Amino acid sequence: MTKRTKRLNSLLKEVLSEVITKSVRNPNVAQFTTVTSVEISKDLHYAKVYISVIGNESERNETISALQSAAGFIGVHASKKVVMRHFPTLTFKLDNSVDKQLKIDSLIEKINQEKKSRNTHE
């Protein structure tokens, strides 16, 4: 990944976060929605926008669906803040890395508790 691509990904992440929180007025977008990362294609025509949603499975799915249906609206608003010859087509994806990290943390905590209980019984 080039330096330019990294800068663009970072800039798009910032701008898209702002547009989603301030401009998108869809009740299906969960209140705690975060843009975790953006991956723009080499030709700069497409961008995958990874979203983290605090909520249950149906809230997550509704949020992704609502954002995808508002992708054109979000792109238009974001393009006013980012100067690009061609603003990329946005695709929204659910980022499960936070969930995975919480699960890993939980497993590590269980292992530590198990070790402590074994040490106290010996």
Side-chain angles (χ1 to χ4, degrees), residues 36-50:
T36 56
S37 67
V38 176
E39 289 178 5
I40 197 162
S41 62
K42 285 181 181 169
D43 65 3
L44 309 180
H45 285 246
Y46 302 93
K48 288 181 190 170
V49 183
Y50 291 91

Side-chain angles (χ1 to χ4, degrees), residues 3 12 16 40 51 59-60 66 100 116 119-120 122:
K3 220 176 195 180
L12 286 173
L16 292 170
I40 197 162
I51 302 289
E59 288 173 319
R60 290 177 184 151
K100 289 176 187 170
K116 282 181 185 173
N119 289 340
T120 57
E122 290 176 7

Side-chain angles (χ1 to χ4, degrees), residues 1-2 33 40 47 56-57 69 74 81 93 98 105 108:
M1 187 182 308
T2 66
T33 299
I40 197 162
N56 62 36
E57 194 65 30
S69 69
I74 294 167
K81 301 170 191 285
K93 304 269 185 195
V98 173
D105 290 347
I108 290 172

Side-chain angles (χ1 to χ4, degrees), residues 63-103:
T63 297
I64 293 297
S65 181
L67 289 173
Q68 194 58 55
S69 69
F73 171 86
I74 294 167
V76 166
H77 282 272
S79 69
K80 293 175 184 171
K81 301 170 191 285
V82 179
V83 179
M84 292 177 73
R85 198 174 310 132
H86 173 82
F87 197 81
T89 301
L90 304 174
T91 304
F92 292 90
K93 304 269 185 195
L94 194 57
D95 182 352
N96 293 320
S97 62
V98 173
D99 293 340
K100 289 176 187 170
Q101 187 60 50
L102 290 173
K103 190 172 184 176

Side-chain angles (χ1 to χ4, degrees), residues 1-9 42 44:
M1 187 182 308
T2 66
K3 220 176 195 180
R4 178 174 182 239
T5 305
K6 283 182 182 176
R7 276 200 322 267
L8 259 178
N9 285 340
K42 285 181 181 169
L44 309 180

Side-chain angles (χ1 to χ4, degrees), residues 24-36:
V24 175
R25 300 273 178 258
N26 187 321
N28 292 330
V29 175
Q31 184 179 357
F32 299 108
T33 299
T34 308
V35 176
T36 56

